[in-house]
Amino acid sequence: MPAIRARRLFDGRELLGERVVHVTDGKINAVTVDGPADLDLGDVTLLPGLIDCHVHLVFDAGADPVGRLRESSDEEVLDRMREEAARTVAAGVTTVRDLGDRGYLALRLAEKLGVTEGPEILASGPPITTTGGHCWFLGGQADGVEGVRAAVRERAERGVHVVKMMVTGGEMTPGTFSHLRQYGLAELCAAVEEAHAHGLPIAAHAHAGEGIADALAAGFDTIEHCSFMTEHAAEHDETIIARLAASDVIVSLTAGIVPTGEPPPPGVAKRMPGIIAAVRALQAAGVAFVIGSDAGIGPGKPHGVLPYGARMLVDLGYAPLDVLRSVTSRAARACRVADRKGRIMQGYDADLVAVSGDPLADISVLQRPSAVFRMGRRLR
Ligand SMILES: [Zn+2]
């Protein structure tokens, strides 16, 4: 029975002292204060493998991910996705929620990928969007109450883990606008009802304040981005934020960017001060949050970027302990895998990441994992 010793252990909720984690058949069998270990990792903190609540494995994080995807066959895309999956898990991200692919490729990859080849992938398939709406090119166009209901049913039959719906326009799709809604409340409510009837969580892509309010009213489980974008800036609404804080909804913050020297896209750059103010206001109000990096959508967001998102939130004034929970136990709750991911506890999957030093004192250590285990198998 492999037993792994670490100087400190973050169990998904609290930072503890020295522990030995016993692994059997890919699962955590026991966590003990002392006893013999097969592997002593030394002066490290052992954490649950990190969980990114929003990635796009079909996007290659290049200068033109949409164009590259358009020009590539499904088989070519799948080959690249395998590499992105390997990069992701090497960064200590052992579970990802893929919130938008083409042709259910992320779901296909999830079924094919061996345990040591990448993270666990929870996939939505093509996001549901209006005709010509945000990310229409991924193939998920559906209009009207009956149209969106049928789209949700199709996804449930395919075996998705989550449904994704584009409540507002987005920055990647010319002709759509982040500050405008795409659907009426009736369609949003119908999609939520249909998803929940199939036992599926449903995630809302929402930038505009009105879209955020609609997603909350309709009962979406997570609200992605939640950036409060207006036409030329971003202006958060304290009334909506108070309602978010009082609800069960989890906001998925699009944090995480590696330094590339390149400026962000103009549509994001001009709104950045307002978005940062919104992110701080969400924290001040105590809104439950996770991180969804949106890995893949551009050069600043390579797959595995999540630890940079954790650092960004701490730099913006978020408590390090809260941020660690957001990428482990709370992310597992948001992704509906809290019974087996996001904690280091008996019976949980042995997805583990070790970092040197103490991430509560310096969250940037997450960017340099010294060991990664996936279902008990050491990958680095
Ligand atoms: Zn996205």
Side-chain angles (χ1 to χ4, degrees):
M1 181 176 78
I4 306 158
R5 187 197 309 277
R7 190 75 46 84
R8 287 165 301 279
L9 182 137
F10 174 70
D11 69 354
R13 297 266 174 85
E14 307 294 340
L15 187 68
L16 309 170
E18 184 165 301
R19 292 289 187 279
V20 178
V21 178
H22 305 263
V23 175
T24 307
D25 296 333
K27 297 273 185 185
I28 297 163
N29 187 43
V31 182
T32 56
V33 174
D34 45 29
D38 309 293
L39 176 64
D40 191 338
L41 293 172
D43 185 16
V44 302
T45 304
L46 194 64
L47 304 97
L50 308 182
I51 302 172
D52 193 334
C53 293
H54 185 149
V55 307
H56 299 280
L57 286 164
V58 295
F59 292 145
D60 68 355
D64 181 17
V66 175
R68 182 111 191 263
L69 179 63
R70 192 191 317 117
E71 290 157 8
S72 306
S73 69
D74 283 359
E75 295 311 316
E76 287 166 344
V77 177
L78 265 178
D79 284 346
R80 285 206 297 270
M81 289 168 82
R82 275 186 180 275
E83 291 168 24
E84 305 297 11
R87 198 165 290 140
T88 300
V89 78
V93 180
T94 54
T95 302
V96 296
R97 190 164 78 152
D98 190 296
L99 287 185
D101 64 13
R102 182 182 78 191
Y104 298 89
L105 287 180
L107 205 56
R108 266 175 70 186
L109 185 67
E111 285 157 6
K112 283 183 173 182
L113 210 60
V115 149
T116 58
E117 294 181 290
E120 175 154 337
I121 300 168
L122 306 165
S124 71
I128 297 173
T129 193
T130 49
T131 296
H134 180 43
C135 286
W136 62 270
F137 47 81
L138 294 176
Q141 299 179 102
D143 300 290
V145 165
E146 286 316 309
V148 300
R149 279 191 187 278
V152 174
R153 282 196 298 272
E154 180 198 319
R155 283 155 181 74
E157 282 158 21
R158 289 278 196 151
V160 300
H161 305 93
V162 55
V163 175
K164 165 86 174 295
M165 191 166 184
M166 302 302 204
V167 174
T168 70
E171 293 303 299
M172 286 185 98
T173 312
T176 79
F177 300 96
S178 296
H179 67 285
L180 297 178
R181 289 174 283 188
Q182 300 199 141
Y183 285 108
L185 198 52
E187 288 130 313
L188 301 183
C189 289
V192 170
E193 191 181 86
E194 198 72 41
H196 289 172
H198 287 90
L200 290 170
I202 181 165
H205 159 105
H207 284 299
E210 288 173 329
I212 294 164
D214 280 0
L216 180 63
F220 280 79
D221 300 287
T222 62
I223 299 179
E224 310 298 313
H225 313 305
C226 204
S227 59
F228 289 94
M229 285 187 183
T230 58
E231 189 172 1
H232 299 294
E235 288 164 32
H236 61 271
D237 178 325
E238 291 290 359
T239 311
I240 296 173
I241 288 180
R243 272 189 265 148
L244 291 170
S247 76
D248 293 330
V249 80
I250 296 180
V251 165
S252 177
L253 298 170
T254 316
I257 189 156
V258 298
T260 59
E262 299 277 315
V268 176
K270 68 179 179 182
R271 291 164 167 140
M272 209 35 125
I275 294 171
I276 286 170
V279 170
R280 289 185 196 274
L282 290 164
Q283 190 265 340
V287 174
F289 69 96
V290 291
I291 304 180
S293 70
D294 232 350
I297 63 162
K301 290 186 176 288
H303 290 278
V305 71
L306 179 68
Y308 290 83
R311 166 139 189 214
M312 183 183 279
L313 292 185
V314 171
D315 287 348
L316 288 174
Y318 281 60
L321 183 63
D322 206 12
V323 171
L324 287 185
R325 290 171 178 167
S326 80
V327 291
T328 55
S329 54
R330 195 180 306 126
R333 181 155 63 88
C335 296
R336 301 274 175 97
V337 290
D339 57 336
R340 59 193 177 85
K341 301 284 188 194
R343 303 289 312 272
I344 300 181
M345 275 176 60
Q346 188 183 17
Y348 277 64
D349 291 349
D351 290 352
L352 305 164
V353 55
V355 297
S356 58
D358 174 1
L360 287 183
D362 176 9
I363 196 97
S364 73
V365 297
L366 294 182
Q367 293 163 199
R368 297 173 296 277
S370 56
V372 178
F373 299 84
R374 175 88 168 93
M375 299 301 279
R377 312 261 287 271
R378 188 167 187 179
L379 303 185
R380 69 177 289 169

